[in-house]
Amino acid sequence: MRVSLRHFRVFIAVAESGQISKAAAALFTSQPAVSEAIKTLETDVGVKLFNRTPRGVSLTYEGAIFLEHAQNVLATAVDAMLAPQKVRRDLDGELTLACTHTVAGYFITPLLSRFARIFPGIKVKLVELERPCIEDRLMSGELEVAVCLLSPLEHISEIETELLVRSKRRLWLPANHALLDRKNVALRDIEHESYIMLTIDDADRTTLGYFERAGFEPNVVFRTSSMEAIRNVVSEGHGVTVLSDMVYRPWSLDGVRLVAVDLIDQIPSMDIGLAWNRATGLGRDAQLFCDVCRYGAGIVGSGMFAESQ
């Protein structure tokens, strides 16, 4: 049997969204990866779980039965991992948790909700800070723990980190772009394209790094901290960009489609994880939050287990 907990998470995401594309976005992975996981699951289970239509997918009778069991499997797995903490659910306390902009908008909320359900007596104060400020406050002891992008961290000798999720970066194009007809696409193929640069969470520095390794600089025509602005500009054909699957959505706010495609270049993933002061370690409440992040993500966010995609 090739089925793992990942296949259950993918199945639930597709069943709840009704579309492969929406499930892939929610899981921070690609549509082919989702389709292949469903195919593997149906083969090993031995029945058809979804009906496919041009508008999406719907559960078969057998699929509806399987959904209930799949949800129970994940719930049982999470409960097993958190069982040692259950005896302490009546704890009281306060925890200040720092995060960066992207984490605040696309990652942290389900974990906060999960933590509040398990430890309702521990109040979490969430603060959004830029990465350099997070590092400074972790090292000074003003902050105990943060959830942030790991790759830009500079003081790695003083800050302990733990990976939670790895989100693949891909090229975003308007739905009618000529590159969509190519089997393989490289960064060199967009050398003369107008490039839309995201400026939050060290995105511009990271982007310039992998373009430099490719041997050229992107033709940046617009810099913005707004993800929705990028979706609008790209979908309308005014430029292209390279961003992670975590922040990808196939439609702009105006309802215009955009597409994310793989690049053959070695593009670093966007890695999100926990960070704390290596010397002082974690206090009780911060340790409990980290435990929920490690083990509680199977229900609240199917893409949150750190898996290479």
Side-chain angles (χ1 to χ4, degrees):
M1 180 177 287
R2 298 166 293 170
V3 172
S4 66
L5 287 178
R6 173 180 172 273
H7 292 87
F8 285 95
R9 296 195 293 272
V10 171
F11 170 78
I12 291 171
V14 175
E16 292 178 345
S17 66
Q19 291 186 347
I20 297 294
S21 61
K22 289 183 178 180
L27 296 167
F28 318 134
T29 188
S30 65
Q31 294 185 38
V34 171
S35 297
E36 183 60 31
I38 294 300
K39 180 180 177 182
T40 298
L41 187 59
E42 289 183 321
T43 299
D44 282 13
V45 172
V47 296
K48 185 178 179 182
L49 300 174
F50 290 104
N51 291 312
R52 279 77 168 173
T53 71
R55 301 179 65 178
V57 298
S58 60
L59 288 168
T60 62
Y61 174 75
E62 293 80 4
I65 294 174
F66 187 79
L67 176 61
E68 181 179 354
H69 290 282
Q71 291 169 332
N72 289 337
V73 166
L74 286 188
T76 300
V78 171
D79 285 344
M81 299 304 295
L82 293 173
Q85 309 291 355
K86 287 185 177 180
V87 296
R88 293 184 281 172
R89 285 190 177 187
D90 59 346
L91 294 177
D92 292 325
E94 292 185 1
L95 172 66
T96 298
L97 174 68
C99 67
T100 50
H101 182 89
T102 302
V103 171
Y106 295 90
F107 187 75
I108 197 67
T109 303
L111 291 178
L112 289 175
S113 299
R114 179 78 179 172
F115 185 76
R117 287 194 296 270
I118 298 172
F119 301 108
I122 301 176
K123 306 304 179 185
V124 178
K125 178 184 178 183
L126 184 66
V127 292
E128 182 184 312
L129 300 170
E130 294 186 0
R131 186 268 311 163
C133 186
I134 286 179
E135 291 197 62
D136 289 343
R137 294 192 184 186
L138 285 174
M139 291 186 295
S140 69
E142 293 178 67
L143 277 175
E144 195 171 359
V145 65
V147 182
C148 58
L149 273 65
L150 300 182
S151 53
L153 292 176
E154 296 178 347
H155 299 87
I156 55 175
S157 63
E158 301 175 65
I159 296 177
E160 188 76 31
T161 63
E162 182 174 336
L163 177 66
L164 293 176
V165 65
R166 177 171 288 125
S167 181
K168 185 176 183 179
R169 286 187 171 98
R170 294 191 292 163
L171 173 64
W172 295 13
L173 300 168
N176 60 351
H177 200 283
L179 286 178
L180 294 175
D181 295 328
R182 296 204 185 175
K183 183 177 181 180
N184 296 309
V185 180
L187 281 177
R188 274 290 178 184
D189 295 325
I190 62 171
E191 182 174 4
H192 303 295
E193 296 274 353
S194 297
Y195 193 87
I196 314 303
M197 180 73 79
L198 183 67
T199 58
I200 55 173
D201 278 351
D202 294 282
D204 45 355
R205 187 179 71 170
T206 302
T207 299
L208 292 175
Y210 53 74
F211 270 97
E212 181 180 358
R213 289 192 292 275
F216 68 100
E217 292 186 5
N219 176 31
V220 180
V221 299
F222 181 45
R223 297 175 182 270
T224 179
S225 61
S226 170
M227 208 73 68
E228 296 304 337
I230 288 182
R231 291 192 188 97
N232 284 338
V233 172
V234 171
S235 65
E236 294 287 356
H238 300 300
V240 303
T241 194
V242 177
L243 289 172
S244 82
D245 284 339
M246 180 179 292
V247 299
Y248 173 71
R249 302 291 183 271
W251 304 95
S252 71
L253 284 177
D254 296 328
V256 184
R257 190 165 179 262
L258 61 152
V259 181
V261 299
D262 291 329
L263 290 161
I264 61 173
D265 306 78
Q266 292 296 315
I267 305 295
S269 59
M270 185 179 77
D271 297 347
I272 289 179
L274 300 162
W276 63 90
N277 187 302
R278 187 185 299 271
T280 59
L282 295 167
R284 184 202 68 181
D285 295 345
Q287 184 63 63
L288 292 175
F289 179 80
C290 291
D291 288 343
V292 171
C293 288
R294 295 178 185 115
Y295 307 129
I299 297 297
V300 300
S302 300
M304 293 183 186
F305 284 107
E307 297 177 83
S308 179
Q309 298 172 357

